[in-house]
PDB file of all heavy atoms in Angstrom:
ATOM      1  N   ASP A  58      18.167 -22.115   5.691  1.00  0.00           N
ATOM      2  CA  ASP A  58      18.925 -23.381   5.499  1.00  0.00           C
ATOM      3  C   ASP A  58      20.243 -22.995   4.906  1.00  0.00           C
ATOM      4  O   ASP A  58      20.363 -22.683   3.722  1.00  0.00           O
ATOM      5  CB  ASP A  58      18.106 -24.301   4.629  1.00  0.00           C
ATOM      6  CG  ASP A  58      18.763 -25.719   4.421  1.00  0.00           C
ATOM      7  OD1 ASP A  58      19.837 -25.889   5.016  1.00  0.00           O
ATOM      8  OD2 ASP A  58      18.182 -26.465   3.753  1.00  0.00           O
ATOM      9  N   GLN A  73       5.836 -17.820  16.029  1.00  0.00           N
ATOM     10  CA  GLN A  73       5.182 -16.484  16.095  1.00  0.00           C
ATOM     11  C   GLN A  73       3.664 -16.720  15.874  1.00  0.00           C
ATOM     12  O   GLN A  73       3.301 -17.304  14.860  1.00  0.00           O
ATOM     13  CB  GLN A  73       5.727 -15.543  15.048  1.00  0.00           C
ATOM     14  CG  GLN A  73       4.998 -14.274  14.941  1.00  0.00           C
ATOM     15  CD  GLN A  73       5.180 -13.374  16.238  1.00  0.00           C
ATOM     16  OE1 GLN A  73       6.312 -13.284  16.704  1.00  0.00           O
ATOM     17  NE2 GLN A  73       4.123 -12.846  16.674  1.00  0.00           N
ATOM     18  N   TYR A 110      13.400  -8.087  -1.465  1.00  0.00           N
ATOM     19  CA  TYR A 110      14.830  -8.208  -1.215  1.00  0.00           C
ATOM     20  C   TYR A 110      15.650  -7.640  -2.323  1.00  0.00           C
ATOM     21  O   TYR A 110      15.095  -7.333  -3.367  1.00  0.00           O
ATOM     22  CB  TYR A 110      15.158  -9.735  -0.992  1.00  0.00           C
ATOM     23  CG  TYR A 110      15.004 -10.584  -2.242  1.00  0.00           C
ATOM     24  CD1 TYR A 110      15.967 -10.926  -3.033  1.00  0.00           C
ATOM     25  CD2 TYR A 110      13.660 -11.086  -2.545  1.00  0.00           C
ATOM     26  CE1 TYR A 110      15.816 -11.743  -4.143  1.00  0.00           C
ATOM     27  CE2 TYR A 110      13.494 -11.872  -3.565  1.00  0.00           C
ATOM     28  CZ  TYR A 110      14.565 -12.241  -4.417  1.00  0.00           C
ATOM     29  OH  TYR A 110      14.386 -13.098  -5.513  1.00  0.00           O
TER      30      TYR A 110
END
Side-chain angles (χ1 to χ4, degrees):
D58 184 356
Q73 175 66 45
Y110 64 98

